[in-house]
Amino acid sequence: MTEQDLKVTEHGRVLVLTMDRPQARNAMSMAMAHQIADALEMLDSRDDLSLGIITGANETFCAGMDLKGFSRGERPVVEGRGFAGIVKRPPVKPLIAAVEGYALAGGFEIVLSCDLVVASTAAKFGLPEVKRGLTAAAGGLMKLPQRIPYHLAMDLVLTGRMWPATEAADVHLVNRLAEPGQALTVALGLAEEIAANAPLALAASKQVMVRSVDWPLEDRFDRQEEFVNPIRESQDAKEGAQAFVEKRDPVWTGR
């Protein structure tokens, strides 16, 4: 694999993944799906990284699956991780979507695989698969009704219409709105605010919030111990307490 459709950069404790296929409005290729999967594996494996951002170059996020590749029999799916190397198994650590332009079909499903969303006021979301004889099978049909009101989700799926980011912000699918061209800048500001906190605590907090939805009510406190007890015993927990006593900023090691 020689062509790099994904640009990966580091900003302190933040890993930024930039989809960059200008000839196809960043539509997902098999190569880029594997590159995203590899980048997310790196994000989760490194103690010096707290969270990630995924965005798109050339003033657009992602136009979904590359239909030219699909017509040749290519499906940009990574075993164990699903479409785009993310929708079936997102990273353990938090991930922010920074959206400019269009996030359509699989592109919107990538957004729905993220934990926070920053979008340009000019950005548009959509699940137009029904217009192409397909279904939003990369998580959109399952995740969208969990994020927004049921009837609105049904409207968007069955009509396949475009949905402005400003309207998405009204129902809190979008956490921050940005001026056009500034989504990544605003996302980096949000990421830096998050990265000031303990990385192990961030990842554990995300996992409990995501996983506990399906836990039986009577088991929830016991089951969260698997995730939160190691945090109490971590070096970072000791560092956080010591930094508070010494009235200084903590120095996190992710251990």
Side-chain angles (χ1 to χ4, degrees):
M1 190 187 307
T2 56
E3 181 184 3
Q4 285 296 312
D5 295 330
L6 185 77
K7 312 302 181 189
V8 180
T9 57
E10 297 179 27
H11 298 256
R13 299 191 65 90
V14 183
L15 190 71
V16 178
L17 287 59
T18 303
M19 296 175 284
D20 189 12
R21 299 188 71 226
Q23 75 281 9
R25 292 195 303 170
N26 299 333
M28 189 58 52
S29 65
M30 180 66 80
M32 188 157 69
H34 280 276
Q35 290 161 20
I36 290 173
D38 290 344
L40 296 181
E41 291 285 352
M42 178 173 71
L43 171 63
D44 279 341
S45 68
R46 284 179 44 183
D47 294 339
D48 60 334
L49 294 172
S50 295
L51 73 158
I53 297 172
I54 186 165
T55 191
N58 311 298
E59 300 180 347
T60 195
F61 186 76
C62 174
M65 180 171 61
D66 188 334
L67 292 180
K68 291 182 179 179
F70 178 74
S71 68
R72 297 191 300 268
E74 178 182 297
R75 293 184 66 226
V77 173
V78 177
E79 184 175 358
R81 299 201 81 118
F83 174 82
I86 184 175
V87 301
K88 188 175 180 180
R89 184 161 65 89
V92 172
K93 295 177 181 178
L95 186 65
I96 301 172
V99 183
E100 297 281 355
Y102 295 104
L104 303 178
F108 191 16
E109 290 169 307
I110 293 171
V111 172
L112 292 171
S113 300
C114 295
D115 305 295
L116 296 162
V117 183
V118 175
S120 156
T121 54
K124 290 182 171 61
F125 303 104
L127 294 173
E129 282 87 345
V130 293
K131 294 178 178 291
R132 299 290 179 265
L134 299 169
T135 58
L141 301 180
M142 297 177 284
K143 294 176 182 178
L144 190 60
Q146 296 177 339
R147 309 292 176 82
I148 65 175
Y150 171 87
H151 291 101
L152 175 57
M154 195 65 76
D155 177 336
L156 293 170
V157 168
L158 298 184
T159 64
R161 67 180 175 89
M162 298 280 193
W163 190 35
T166 50
E167 293 183 17
D170 289 340
V171 293
H172 305 291
L173 183 76
V174 171
N175 298 91
R176 306 278 193 279
L177 285 171
E179 292 298 317
Q182 296 300 306
L184 180 57
T185 299
V186 173
L188 281 167
L190 176 58
E192 289 169 3
E193 182 179 351
I194 293 169
N197 300 315
L200 292 178
L202 293 173
S205 296
K206 169 183 170 175
Q207 291 307 304
V208 172
M209 292 177 73
V210 170
R211 294 170 183 265
S212 63
V213 173
D214 298 324
W215 292 347
L217 183 60
E218 62 274 16
D219 295 340
R220 288 183 178 179
F221 278 91
D222 290 337
R223 292 186 67 167
Q224 79 166 350
E225 286 302 306
E226 173 188 350
F227 301 94
V228 302
N229 190 57
I231 306 306
R232 298 188 190 102
E233 305 300 325
S234 69
Q235 293 179 26
D236 277 352
K238 296 179 178 66
E239 166 64 12
Q242 191 65 32
F244 177 79
V245 170
E246 297 175 359
K247 297 181 180 180
R248 60 172 174 80
D249 291 335
V251 179
W252 309 120
T253 61
R255 299 177 182 175

